[in-house]
Amino acid sequence: ETGVTQSPTHLIKTRGQQVTLRCSSQSGHNTVSWYQQALGQGPQFIFQYYREEENGRGNFPPRFSGLQFPNYSSELNVNALELDDSALYLCASRGGTGNTIYFGEGSWLTVV
Amino acid sequence: RKEVEQDPGPFNVPEGATVAFNCTYSNSASQSFFWYRQDCRKEPKLLMSVYSSGNEDGRFTAQLNRASQYISLLIRDSKLSDSATYLCVVSAYYGNNRLAFGKGNQVVVIP
């Protein structure tokens, strides 16, 4: 319905492992951002990509990295997973001159 | 100080009643303001944008007070389906994806 799809929807990883989360946006949505939402908290901005370049970053360490591709898909990579990385990871996109931001359904990551 | 502060509640509201809550934001240069609704274990969805003049969408009314840096949301004639978490959201720039979220106000409408 929003045109933003994320995968996987749920996954479990072990501390120290690496994870890649994926997002596919609507055609023409040049700006994509990623958020982390821990239980009981509001989403926290991780970073933003515009035309395949990072152009904004929140207060997250370098082990959180991303990529955006020409086909309006993007990735969030997290290295050296920690227990506190357990959260809902949301991808959001916006395109054109509109101000509406659309969220995907999110990826639930559990680190054990 | 957090960028956006909200009292998480929960707000237990009898069906048919009115509920109102505020949030405050710290960045006086903020340009865009929104209320998002988030159902349990789902993604946030835009409820309404908030304009300086205040705006209404059906049973929902949003107000912005730039001088005091707070935003409010009022829900009239509460329905059971209004039970959700309402997230106050602020952006420093118009058209920017960098949104600052509050913790959310959890609303539970009771029959």
Side-chain angles (χ1 to χ4, degrees):
Chain A
E1 151 189 332
T2 65
V4 182
T5 56
Q6 292 186 241
S7 63
T9 54
H10 296 80
L11 70 166
I12 300 173
K13 289 284 190 178
T14 303
R15 191 170 49 182
Q17 284 188 312
Q18 178 267 345
V19 69
T20 297
L21 307 178
R22 295 182 173 82
C23 173
S24 176
S25 305
Q26 290 185 44
S27 175
H29 279 204
N30 297 319
T31 307
V32 67
S33 50
W34 285 88
Y35 291 81
Q36 179 196 66
Q37 187 175 20
L39 204 60
Q41 303 294 319
Q44 298 295 310
F45 176 77
I46 303 175
F47 45 56
Q48 171 175 295
Y49 279 79
Y50 175 69
R51 293 190 174 178
E52 303 162 49
E53 292 202 5
E54 183 182 302
N55 74 340
R57 190 174 183 94
N59 189 25
F60 281 82
R63 59 189 185 84
F64 285 78
S65 63
L67 287 171
Q68 186 186 25
F69 303 100
N71 65 352
Y72 305 107
S73 66
S74 64
E75 288 181 357
L76 164 65
N77 297 290
V78 187
N79 293 324
L81 284 167
E82 301 176 359
L83 298 180
D84 284 349
D85 295 334
S86 296
L88 174 66
Y89 288 86
L90 295 159
C91 168
S93 74
R94 181 183 63 83
T97 57
N99 197 29
T100 300
I101 295 169
Y102 298 96
F103 283 88
E105 293 187 357
S107 293
W108 287 94
L109 171 66
T110 302
V111 182
V112 297
Chain B
R1 184 183 171 189
K2 294 200 171 187
E3 285 188 77
V4 181
E5 301 256 22
Q6 285 184 266
D7 174 5
F11 294 77
N12 295 315
V13 185
E15 193 176 3
T18 295
V19 61
F21 30 80
N22 298 335
C23 82
T24 58
Y25 60 94
S26 60
N27 184 355
S28 60
S30 297
Q31 295 293 324
S32 300
F33 308 89
F34 311 92
W35 284 100
Y36 274 73
R37 170 188 170 134
Q38 187 171 29
D39 293 295
C40 188
R41 300 185 69 81
K42 298 287 191 180
E43 77 278 18
K45 293 184 179 177
L46 179 65
L47 178 67
M48 57 198 302
S49 299
V50 187
Y51 304 113
S52 297
S53 54
N55 47 298
E56 191 172 305
D57 183 1
R59 298 180 294 106
F60 297 84
T61 301
Q63 297 279 351
L64 167 63
N65 185 317
R66 284 187 182 270
S68 301
Q69 294 180 208
Y70 78 80
I71 307 157
S72 64
L73 180 66
L74 182 144
I75 307 174
R76 287 184 302 277
D77 188 22
S78 298
K79 311 291 185 191
L80 296 178
S81 58
D82 294 334
S83 296
T85 296
Y86 293 85
L87 297 160
C88 177
V89 186
V90 173
S91 176
Y93 305 101
Y94 179 84
N96 187 286
N97 273 27
R98 182 171 187 157
L99 304 176
F101 285 81
K103 274 189 175 182
N105 298 114
Q106 184 186 3
V107 173
V108 179
V109 181
I110 303 164

